[in-house]
Structures are given as structure tokens and as C-alpha cells.
Tab-separated table of all heavy atoms in Angstrom:
chain	number	residue	atom	x	y	z
A	1	LYS	N	113.272	102.230	95.034
A	1	LYS	CA	113.631	100.917	95.621
A	1	LYS	C	114.992	100.978	96.297
A	1	LYS	O	115.215	100.386	97.364
A	1	LYS	CB	113.621	99.857	94.528
A	1	LYS	CG	112.242	99.505	94.014
A	1	LYS	CD	112.289	98.463	92.921
A	1	LYS	CE	110.914	98.126	92.401
A	1	LYS	NZ	110.964	97.107	91.321
A	2	THR	N	115.919	101.690	95.664
A	2	THR	CA	117.262	101.823	96.257
A	2	THR	C	117.201	102.589	97.573
A	2	THR	O	117.854	102.256	98.557
A	2	THR	CB	118.190	102.577	95.278
A	2	THR	OG1	118.288	101.840	94.055
A	2	THR	CG2	119.586	102.686	95.869
A	3	VAL	N	116.388	103.629	97.633
A	3	VAL	CA	116.192	104.404	98.859
A	3	VAL	C	115.673	103.508	99.984
A	3	VAL	O	116.173	103.534	101.113
A	3	VAL	CB	115.222	105.587	98.630
A	3	VAL	CG1	114.976	106.314	99.962
A	3	VAL	CG2	115.781	106.561	97.620
A	4	ILE	N	114.666	102.688	99.663
A	4	ILE	CA	114.095	101.793	100.670
A	4	ILE	C	115.153	100.789	101.172
A	4	ILE	O	115.285	100.536	102.378
A	4	ILE	CB	112.887	101.027	100.075
A	4	ILE	CG1	111.753	102.025	99.780
A	4	ILE	CG2	112.378	99.944	101.023
A	4	ILE	CD1	110.567	101.401	99.022
A	5	GLU	N	115.934	100.248	100.243
A	5	GLU	CA	116.948	99.259	100.604
A	5	GLU	C	118.001	99.897	101.501
A	5	GLU	O	118.443	99.327	102.532
A	5	GLU	CB	117.617	98.724	99.346
A	5	GLU	CG	116.704	97.821	98.508
A	5	GLU	CD	117.298	97.487	97.184
A	5	GLU	OE1	118.424	97.966	96.884
A	5	GLU	OE2	116.664	96.731	96.388
A	6	ARG	N	118.397	101.096	101.210
A	6	ARG	CA	119.440	101.767	102.024
A	6	ARG	C	118.883	102.172	103.384
A	6	ARG	O	119.623	102.057	104.386
A	6	ARG	CB	119.986	103.006	101.284
A	6	ARG	CG	120.710	102.641	100.001
A	6	ARG	CD	121.609	103.755	99.527
A	6	ARG	NE	122.368	103.356	98.337
A	6	ARG	CZ	123.444	103.961	97.907
A	6	ARG	NH1	123.912	105.029	98.568
A	6	ARG	NH2	124.077	103.550	96.840
A	7	LEU	N	117.671	102.626	103.454
A	7	LEU	CA	117.080	102.950	104.731
A	7	LEU	C	116.929	101.747	105.590
A	7	LEU	O	117.187	101.768	106.814
A	7	LEU	CB	115.709	103.654	104.530
A	7	LEU	CG	115.745	105.073	103.967
A	7	LEU	CD1	114.325	105.534	103.656
A	7	LEU	CD2	116.415	106.026	104.940
A	8	THR	N	116.477	100.636	104.991
A	8	THR	CA	116.289	99.400	105.738
A	8	THR	C	117.623	98.839	106.260
A	8	THR	O	117.729	98.411	107.402
A	8	THR	CB	115.595	98.345	104.835
A	8	THR	OG1	114.349	98.858	104.357
A	8	THR	CG2	115.354	97.071	105.606
A	9	SER	N	118.646	98.901	105.407
A	9	SER	CA	119.948	98.376	105.828
A	9	SER	C	120.562	99.211	106.972
A	9	SER	O	121.404	98.719	107.731
A	9	SER	CB	120.912	98.342	104.638
A	9	SER	OG	121.140	99.653	104.149
A	10	SER	N	120.138	100.478	107.039
A	10	SER	CA	120.648	101.357	108.112
A	10	SER	C	119.819	101.234	109.393
A	10	SER	O	120.073	101.967	110.384
A	10	SER	CB	120.719	102.791	107.644
A	10	SER	OG	119.417	103.287	107.389
A	11	GLY	N	118.827	100.376	109.417
A	11	GLY	CA	117.996	100.190	110.612
A	11	GLY	C	116.716	100.958	110.675
A	11	GLY	O	115.974	100.863	111.645
A	12	CYS	N	116.414	101.702	109.590
A	12	CYS	CA	115.161	102.470	109.549
A	12	CYS	C	113.995	101.580	109.075
A	12	CYS	O	114.205	100.661	108.280
A	12	CYS	CB	115.268	103.675	108.624
A	12	CYS	SG	116.500	104.881	109.139
A	13	VAL	N	112.817	101.834	109.625
A	13	VAL	CA	111.632	101.105	109.179
A	13	VAL	C	110.855	101.941	108.198
A	13	VAL	O	110.460	103.051	108.485
A	13	VAL	CB	110.733	100.741	110.414
A	13	VAL	CG1	109.474	100.039	109.947
A	13	VAL	CG2	111.530	99.894	111.407
A	14	VAL	N	110.673	101.419	106.988
A	14	VAL	CA	109.905	102.085	105.957
A	14	VAL	C	108.488	101.549	105.981
A	14	VAL	O	108.286	100.372	105.681
A	14	VAL	CB	110.537	101.928	104.569
A	14	VAL	CG1	109.716	102.694	103.513
A	14	VAL	CG2	111.981	102.415	104.607
A	15	ALA	N	107.520	102.353	106.361
A	15	ALA	CA	106.141	101.895	106.525
A	15	ALA	C	105.570	101.387	105.194
A	15	ALA	O	105.954	101.818	104.116
A	15	ALA	CB	105.245	103.061	107.015
A	16	PRO	N	104.621	100.417	105.276
A	16	PRO	CA	104.034	99.862	104.077
A	16	PRO	C	103.344	100.925	103.192
A	16	PRO	O	103.278	100.744	101.983
A	16	PRO	CB	103.031	98.836	104.621
A	16	PRO	CG	103.553	98.490	105.956
A	16	PRO	CD	104.152	99.752	106.491
A	17	ASN	N	102.804	101.956	103.835
A	17	ASN	CA	102.118	103.011	103.070
A	17	ASN	C	103.023	104.197	102.761
A	17	ASN	O	102.515	105.262	102.366
A	17	ASN	CB	100.853	103.463	103.828
A	17	ASN	CG	101.212	104.122	105.178
A	17	ASN	OD1	102.326	103.994	105.692
A	17	ASN	ND2	100.254	104.837	105.750
A	18	SER	N	104.299	104.060	102.949
A	18	SER	CA	105.226	105.157	102.665
A	18	SER	C	105.166	105.510	101.201
A	18	SER	O	105.024	104.664	100.294
A	18	SER	CB	106.672	104.745	103.031
A	18	SER	OG	107.600	105.660	102.530
A	19	ALA	N	105.310	106.786	100.910
A	19	ALA	CA	105.311	107.269	99.521
A	19	ALA	C	106.437	106.644	98.720
A	19	ALA	O	106.324	106.454	97.523
A	19	ALA	CB	105.423	108.782	99.502
A	20	LEU	N	107.530	106.271	99.375
A	20	LEU	CA	108.649	105.636	98.681
A	20	LEU	C	108.253	104.303	98.071
A	20	LEU	O	108.865	103.849	97.129
A	20	LEU	CB	109.816	105.458	99.647
A	20	LEU	CG	110.452	106.757	100.142
A	20	LEU	CD1	111.424	106.471	101.267
A	20	LEU	CD2	111.156	107.498	99.004
A	21	ARG	N	107.193	103.684	98.622
A	21	ARG	CA	106.725	102.396	98.117
A	21	ARG	C	105.619	102.569	97.074
A	21	ARG	O	105.447	101.721	96.217
A	21	ARG	CB	106.194	101.530	99.246
A	21	ARG	CG	107.219	101.122	100.307
A	21	ARG	CD	106.635	100.163	101.298
A	21	ARG	NE	107.543	99.856	102.426
A	21	ARG	CZ	108.519	98.956	102.373
A	21	ARG	NH1	108.752	98.249	101.266
A	21	ARG	NH2	109.289	98.763	103.452
A	22	THR	N	104.880	103.641	97.186
A	22	THR	CA	103.678	103.766	96.353
A	22	THR	C	103.749	104.899	95.330
A	22	THR	O	102.889	104.994	94.473
A	22	THR	CB	102.422	103.973	97.243
A	22	THR	OG1	102.622	105.215	98.012
A	22	THR	CG2	102.220	102.834	98.195
A	23	ALA	N	104.742	105.752	95.391
A	23	ALA	CA	104.750	106.975	94.616
A	23	ALA	C	104.914	106.691	93.119
A	23	ALA	O	105.614	105.728	92.712
A	23	ALA	CB	105.853	107.915	95.074
A	24	SER	N	104.310	107.534	92.294
A	24	SER	CA	104.572	107.566	90.877
A	24	SER	C	105.408	108.807	90.578
A	24	SER	O	105.583	109.661	91.423
A	24	SER	CB	103.271	107.630	90.083
A	24	SER	OG	102.616	108.891	90.271
A	25	LEU	N	105.904	108.899	89.373
A	25	LEU	CA	106.724	110.062	88.985
A	25	LEU	C	105.982	111.373	89.156
A	25	LEU	O	106.574	112.382	89.514
A	25	LEU	CB	107.159	109.919	87.520
A	25	LEU	CG	108.117	110.951	86.980
A	25	LEU	CD1	109.460	110.908	87.659
A	25	LEU	CD2	108.289	110.809	85.474
A	26	LEU	N	104.667	111.340	88.962
A	26	LEU	CA	103.845	112.568	89.078
A	26	LEU	C	103.883	113.149	90.508
A	26	LEU	O	103.647	114.330	90.698
A	26	LEU	CB	102.396	112.256	88.685
A	26	LEU	CG	101.438	113.439	88.484
A	26	LEU	CD1	101.980	114.337	87.367
A	26	LEU	CD2	100.052	112.983	88.170
A	27	TRP	N	104.218	112.292	91.493
A	27	TRP	CA	104.269	112.790	92.868
A	27	TRP	C	105.335	113.846	93.058
A	27	TRP	O	105.204	114.719	93.949
A	27	TRP	CB	104.514	111.601	93.836
A	27	TRP	CG	103.306	110.728	94.039
A	27	TRP	CD1	102.376	110.416	93.118
A	27	TRP	CD2	102.954	110.054	95.251
A	27	TRP	NE1	101.414	109.570	93.671
A	27	TRP	CE2	101.752	109.329	94.988
A	27	TRP	CE3	103.499	109.971	96.507
A	27	TRP	CZ2	101.108	108.544	95.941
A	27	TRP	CZ3	102.903	109.164	97.459
A	27	TRP	CH2	101.714	108.466	97.186
A	28	LEU	N	106.379	113.795	92.276
A	28	LEU	CA	107.460	114.829	92.365
A	28	LEU	C	106.856	116.193	92.054
A	28	LEU	O	107.128	117.184	92.736
A	28	LEU	CB	108.593	114.501	91.410
A	28	LEU	CG	109.542	113.403	91.821
A	28	LEU	CD1	110.514	113.120	90.683
A	28	LEU	CD2	110.310	113.788	93.088
A	29	ARG	N	106.055	116.226	90.992
A	29	ARG	CA	105.411	117.491	90.609
A	29	ARG	C	104.417	117.958	91.685
A	29	ARG	O	104.395	119.142	92.065
A	29	ARG	CB	104.686	117.339	89.270
A	29	ARG	CG	103.953	118.584	88.785
A	29	ARG	CD	103.376	118.349	87.430
A	29	ARG	NE	102.774	119.552	86.875
A	29	ARG	CZ	101.506	119.904	87.008
A	29	ARG	NH1	100.685	119.127	87.665
A	29	ARG	NH2	101.064	121.021	86.451
A	30	GLU	N	103.595	117.036	92.168
A	30	GLU	CA	102.624	117.414	93.215
A	30	GLU	C	103.324	117.911	94.468
A	30	GLU	O	102.894	118.913	95.055
A	30	GLU	CB	101.740	116.171	93.562
A	30	GLU	CG	100.803	115.754	92.467
A	30	GLU	CD	99.726	116.821	92.260
A	30	GLU	OE1	98.866	116.977	93.144
A	30	GLU	OE2	99.750	117.457	91.197
A	31	THR	N	104.406	117.270	94.839
A	31	THR	CA	105.142	117.683	96.036
A	31	THR	C	105.728	119.093	95.864
A	31	THR	O	105.618	119.943	96.717
A	31	THR	CB	106.270	116.697	96.351
A	31	THR	OG1	105.727	115.397	96.538
A	31	THR	CG2	107.016	117.114	97.604
A	32	SER	N	106.263	119.371	94.672
A	32	SER	CA	106.851	120.644	94.403
A	32	SER	C	105.794	121.763	94.431
A	32	SER	O	106.000	122.834	95.002
A	32	SER	CB	107.529	120.630	93.027
A	32	SER	OG	108.128	121.881	92.742
A	33	LEU	N	104.629	121.467	93.879
A	33	LEU	CA	103.551	122.490	93.873
A	33	LEU	C	103.044	122.746	95.286
A	33	LEU	O	102.743	123.885	95.654
A	33	LEU	CB	102.387	122.031	92.965
A	33	LEU	CG	102.678	122.145	91.465
A	33	LEU	CD1	101.669	121.372	90.661
A	33	LEU	CD2	102.715	123.588	91.044
A	34	HIS	N	102.916	121.704	96.096
A	34	HIS	CA	102.484	121.899	97.479
A	34	HIS	C	103.554	122.682	98.264
A	34	HIS	O	103.172	123.513	99.110
A	34	HIS	CB	102.213	120.543	98.143
A	34	HIS	CG	100.850	120.007	97.822
A	34	HIS	ND1	99.694	120.492	98.402
A	34	HIS	CD2	100.457	119.048	96.961
A	34	HIS	CE1	98.635	119.840	97.928
A	34	HIS	NE2	99.095	118.936	97.048
A	35	HIS	N	104.806	122.435	97.997
A	35	HIS	CA	105.844	123.193	98.644
A	35	HIS	C	105.773	124.673	98.223
A	35	HIS	O	106.049	125.577	99.022
A	35	HIS	CB	107.219	122.654	98.303
A	35	HIS	CG	107.498	121.354	99.008
A	35	HIS	ND1	108.642	120.589	98.762
A	35	HIS	CD2	106.811	120.678	99.978
A	35	HIS	CE1	108.628	119.523	99.543
A	35	HIS	NE2	107.532	119.526	100.287
A	36	ALA	N	105.377	124.931	96.986
A	36	ALA	CA	105.288	126.302	96.499
A	36	ALA	C	104.247	127.088	97.263
A	36	ALA	O	104.386	128.319	97.441
A	36	ALA	CB	104.953	126.298	94.967
A	37	THR	N	103.162	126.426	97.689
A	37	THR	CA	102.102	127.119	98.403
A	37	THR	C	102.559	127.618	99.767
A	37	THR	O	101.877	128.477	100.382
A	37	THR	CB	100.856	126.223	98.597
A	37	THR	OG1	101.194	125.113	99.459
A	37	THR	CG2	100.356	125.709	97.279
A	38	ARG	N	103.707	127.155	100.265
A	38	ARG	CA	104.210	127.619	101.558
A	38	ARG	C	104.734	129.026	101.461
A	38	ARG	O	104.738	129.769	102.475
A	38	ARG	CB	105.302	126.691	102.085
A	38	ARG	CG	104.860	125.213	102.313
A	38	ARG	CD	106.076	124.399	102.737
A	38	ARG	NE	105.715	122.997	102.999
A	38	ARG	CZ	106.584	122.057	103.336
A	38	ARG	NH1	107.873	122.373	103.471
A	38	ARG	NH2	106.166	120.821	103.574
A	39	THR	N	105.247	129.408	100.301
A	39	THR	CA	105.928	130.702	100.192
A	39	THR	C	105.348	131.599	99.116
A	39	THR	O	105.725	132.789	99.065
A	39	THR	CB	107.415	130.481	99.880
A	39	THR	OG1	107.515	129.694	98.684
A	39	THR	CG2	108.095	129.730	101.030
A	40	MET	N	104.475	131.084	98.272
A	40	MET	CA	103.926	131.871	97.173
A	40	MET	C	102.454	132.134	97.337
A	40	MET	O	101.765	131.402	97.997
A	40	MET	CB	104.172	131.173	95.817
A	40	MET	CG	105.601	130.943	95.434
A	40	MET	SD	105.748	130.134	93.814
A	40	MET	CE	107.490	129.788	93.802
A	41	GLY	N	101.980	133.175	96.688
A	41	GLY	CA	100.565	133.501	96.665
A	41	GLY	C	99.829	132.641	95.692
A	41	GLY	O	100.423	131.974	94.818
A	42	MET	N	98.505	132.685	95.757
A	42	MET	CA	97.696	131.848	94.874
A	42	MET	C	97.943	132.170	93.412
A	42	MET	O	98.005	131.280	92.563
A	42	MET	CB	96.221	132.031	95.205
A	42	MET	CG	95.318	131.061	94.454
A	42	MET	SD	93.557	131.287	94.790
A	42	MET	CE	93.246	132.745	93.823
A	43	ASP	N	98.044	133.464	93.047
A	43	ASP	CA	98.265	133.852	91.670
A	43	ASP	C	99.510	133.193	91.073
A	43	ASP	O	99.515	132.677	89.967
A	43	ASP	CB	98.383	135.377	91.528
A	43	ASP	CG	97.040	136.055	91.702
A	43	ASP	OD1	96.019	135.310	91.740
A	43	ASP	OD2	97.005	137.292	91.760
A	44	GLU	N	100.592	133.218	91.828
A	44	GLU	CA	101.856	132.634	91.358
A	44	GLU	C	101.717	131.129	91.208
A	44	GLU	O	102.205	130.546	90.213
A	44	GLU	CB	103.003	132.955	92.344
A	44	GLU	CG	103.446	134.400	92.314
A	44	GLU	CD	104.608	134.661	93.243
A	44	GLU	OE1	104.491	134.297	94.450
A	44	GLU	OE2	105.611	135.202	92.782
A	45	VAL	N	101.092	130.452	92.152
A	45	VAL	CA	100.974	129.016	92.090
A	45	VAL	C	100.096	128.586	90.932
A	45	VAL	O	100.413	127.603	90.230
A	45	VAL	CB	100.400	128.441	93.414
A	45	VAL	CG1	100.131	126.964	93.305
A	45	VAL	CG2	101.410	128.692	94.567
A	46	ILE	N	99.035	129.336	90.644
A	46	ILE	CA	98.169	129.019	89.498
A	46	ILE	C	98.975	129.071	88.219
A	46	ILE	O	98.784	128.233	87.297
A	46	ILE	CB	96.964	129.986	89.443
A	46	ILE	CG1	95.999	129.654	90.572
A	46	ILE	CG2	96.260	129.905	88.106
A	46	ILE	CD1	94.859	130.660	90.696
């Protein structure tokens, strides 16, 4: 919520479907695992 408020006050538009509005804590883990697939092989990610 603080991120959204600061972005809005600086003139940025935060879309209604933005992850910042809908994300749960589990999204941090999902994001990290998806980032891992950019540089790691399948065995390491598993």
C-alpha cells in the first residue's frame, strides 16, 4: 500500500490489476523462482 501511495504521489499510474494491488506474500517466492529459471538449469530449480 505504501508503494502504491508513493508511486501515485509521484505521478505514476498504478493499474487496477497491478501485482502491487493484488499480490499475496507467496508472490515473492513465485517471483524468485521464476527469476531463477533465467539463469539456472531445471535440476537446480527443482
Side-chain angles (χ1 to χ4, degrees):
K1 290 180 181 178
T2 302
V3 176
I4 293 172
E5 291 171 359
R6 294 199 177 198
L7 288 174
T8 302
S9 65
S10 65
C12 297
V13 177
V14 182
N17 63 344
S18 168
L20 294 170
R21 297 186 186 277
T22 60
S24 69
L25 184 67
L26 191 60
W27 286 34
L28 284 173
R29 178 176 186 267
E30 290 293 292
T31 302
S32 182
L33 286 166
H34 279 283
H35 287 174
T37 65
R38 297 177 180 177
T39 57
M40 297 182 189
M42 188 183 75
D43 285 352
E44 288 182 306
V45 174
I46 289 174

